[in-house]
Amino acid sequence: KSSKILEVHFPMNSPLLHYTSFEDPTLISTVLPFTDELNLYHQSSDAGYRNGFHLLEDPLKTKKATILGMFVLRPSEGKWTASSNIVESLYDEALEWSYNCKGFEGGWLIADRNSLDAYRLAMQYALCDAVLMGTNSLSVEGVRTDDSPGYIWQPYALCQWDQIKSCDPELERKFAAQREAWQALGYLSGRRYPAQVAFTWSGECHAGSPDFLRARIFHERHPTGERIEAYIITGSQGAARIRARAAQHGLQERIEALLLELPSQDGQVDIAAIPRELHDRLGMKIVNHDGGQRVLREFCKAGAVRQMNLTLCRQRSVRDVVATMPLLDEQKRARVLADLEPHMQYFFASPGPHKSRGVPRQLRVAALLRAPSDEVAVVTFSVPPHFDFHDAA
């Protein structure tokens, strides 16, 4: 296979179109094929690249769940605009990749309603056995409050987002057909919808946030009527704390079915054991890790995540988005723009007096997908064993 960088021009004008611009076949274990309907958005090329979904570990060979890290990142200042030698330009230390802006918490601001980012997120939800998240993310995003309807990590919820529904109102049906195709290949279990798996070390509530046991995933049902399949991974101490609060949230009769208690020592769960446990106990083969950043970092350090699929925004900085996004609170907007740096949370970091927040070179690019608009690129990174991307030496 060629590893040359490819640029393609499309006759169509859908915001969902994208193509493989670079691929390193030495890092890729298998490429799962797309149906004809989804292939309309995943354009093939003439460079010998395989059109489909890249997996760097094949769960049929490893006999454990392949856990894929996911995030959307944007430079805090400046732009990633290089088009020639785009792979090398990824490692520019001047690009400081932010995953969150304090005051406007969550990936929604970083993504800036980008249609391709929303499509890839919904697609990965649709084509996995489970979505895994930390309980801090669950508390902040997943609980219904007066200010928020609460988030669920399900493809049918995302397919209602205007930025992708306006592009293709049939995506939910198309994703379901794609799911059945991968099930026939043996790469997904027979689940109709992905399970929701929360991870916690302590089992405690997070200060200033609702109890994660109030999250919608533990109390609601799918549109088809069946209860959402959900689990909480924790150790013995965490499980004891969760059991003690279960009755407060009407979960006392279901709590044992929800808990996936793993061996722990001094409150620390053996994260390295999770891929095997998910495979052997729950029949899971492909699992998406949807944050938060701290939990994903620990999964990478433990060797439980060896692949990250990151949407990297190209044309506009976080500052640009905050300055122009409609409907933001104007007082918050003014405070953030007046002093942006304290509000930035950076995904990457390396030690030393000149700490870099760019992509560490230890993360090798296995595949890079581009869109005709070049507003974002979707990059599949190979994560070295036990690598700390936030303290990369």
Side-chain angles (χ1 to χ4, degrees):
K1 303 292 185 190
S2 168
S3 289
K4 74 174 183 179
I5 297 169
L6 181 76
E7 297 201 35
V8 172
H9 300 284
F10 293 113
M12 297 173 61
N13 195 33
S14 171
L16 305 184
L17 286 170
H18 54 299
Y19 65 97
T20 303
S21 174
F22 173 84
E23 181 184 274
D24 184 344
T26 67
L27 299 174
I28 297 167
S29 181
T30 191
V31 180
L32 298 183
F34 288 126
T35 61
D36 290 343
E37 289 184 310
L38 291 192
N39 262 332
L40 291 176
Y41 298 128
H42 302 256
Q43 297 289 310
S44 59
S45 71
D46 58 3
Y49 298 137
R50 293 163 288 179
N51 195 31
F53 189 84
H54 300 90
L55 285 180
L56 308 193
E57 288 189 331
D58 188 334
L60 301 189
K61 297 176 181 177
T62 64
K63 304 301 181 184
K64 60 183 180 181
T66 295
I67 303 180
L68 311 175
M70 306 165 60
F71 252 96
V72 56
L73 310 179
R74 187 179 290 273
S76 58
E77 307 267 13
K79 304 171 186 179
W80 174 39
T81 57
S83 58
S84 61
N85 204 354
I86 189 172
V87 173
E88 178 60 27
S89 72
L90 266 174
Y91 300 103
D92 183 354
E93 292 188 0
L95 296 170
E96 300 189 325
W97 294 100
S98 173
Y99 70 92
N100 189 56
C101 178
K102 295 178 182 178
F104 301 113
E105 269 74 16
W108 62 272
L109 182 128
I110 303 298
D112 192 23
R113 293 177 53 82
N114 181 269
S115 295
L116 180 54
D117 172 67
Y119 172 84
R120 295 290 302 191
L121 183 64
M123 183 191 70
Q124 287 203 217
Y125 283 4
L127 303 179
C128 69
D129 282 318
V131 182
L132 189 152
M133 77 294 299
T135 51
N136 187 42
S137 296
L138 195 57
S139 297
V140 172
E141 301 178 36
V143 176
R144 192 187 299 275
T145 66
D146 292 340
D147 299 323
S148 170
Y151 188 73
I152 56 173
W153 287 255
Q154 291 293 337
Y156 53 77
L158 275 63
C159 285
Q160 297 306 308
W161 289 359
D162 181 65
Q163 60 263 47
I164 49 175
K165 189 173 184 179
S166 62
C167 299
D168 188 342
E170 294 294 314
L171 276 179
E172 185 178 345
R173 177 191 60 77
K174 293 176 182 179
F175 286 151
Q178 180 68 77
R179 184 178 185 87
E180 291 178 359
W182 285 9
Q183 287 170 332
L185 293 174
Y187 279 92
L188 292 176
S189 69
R191 293 175 170 84
R192 182 170 185 172
Y193 301 109
Q196 315 278 261
V197 181
F199 175 84
T200 176
W201 286 278
S202 69
E204 295 175 337
C205 302
H206 296 271
S209 299
D211 192 329
F212 63 83
L213 293 179
R214 290 175 49 196
R216 292 177 61 191
I217 64 172
F218 299 128
H219 300 279
E220 298 190 13
R221 296 178 179 269
H222 294 297
T224 47
E226 63 264 41
R227 189 184 294 279
I228 294 175
E229 180 187 6
Y231 304 97
I232 306 171
I233 297 176
T234 191
S236 56
Q237 295 179 11
R241 294 187 181 106
I242 292 168
R243 289 188 182 100
R245 302 198 311 278
Q248 301 174 29
H249 305 285
L251 296 174
Q252 62 275 19
E253 295 182 1
R254 298 174 47 228
I255 195 60
E256 295 307 321
L258 293 173
L259 285 170
L260 191 61
E261 190 174 337
L262 298 186
S264 59
Q265 186 173 5
D266 298 326
Q268 296 299 307
V269 178
D270 182 10
I271 294 176
I274 290 176
R276 185 80 62 187
E277 292 286 335
L278 293 177
H279 180 276
D280 293 351
R281 293 170 65 167
L282 299 175
M284 295 177 177
K285 297 171 185 175
I286 299 176
V287 174
N288 287 310
H289 193 306
D290 202 18
Q293 186 260 9
R294 174 175 173 252
V295 179
L296 178 57
R297 177 185 176 189
E298 294 301 323
F299 271 64
C300 289
K301 287 167 62 177
V305 168
R306 300 294 308 281
Q307 174 176 345
M308 288 198 292
N309 295 341
L310 303 182
T311 299
L312 302 182
C313 303
R314 287 176 54 79
Q315 303 297 336
R316 305 174 72 220
S317 67
V318 176
R319 180 179 291 279
D320 293 334
V321 173
V322 173
T324 59
M325 179 177 280
L327 304 179
L328 295 185
D329 180 278
E330 291 300 332
Q331 291 185 337
K332 284 185 179 180
R333 188 200 307 269
R335 285 198 299 269
V336 170
L337 292 176
D339 192 9
L340 184 67
E341 181 62 23
H343 295 86
M344 289 293 90
Q345 290 185 277
Y346 294 102
F347 193 77
F348 304 112
S350 58
H354 305 291
K355 180 170 288 190
S356 170
R357 288 140 174 182
V359 177
R361 286 194 173 272
Q362 294 94 324
L363 294 178
R364 296 177 61 190
V365 177
L368 189 147
L369 312 180
R370 295 176 69 176
S373 67
D374 246 1
E375 291 182 3
V376 301
V378 181
V379 186
T380 296
F381 287 102
S382 174
V383 181
H386 311 294
F387 180 64
D388 186 353
F389 59 77
H390 200 74
D391 191 20

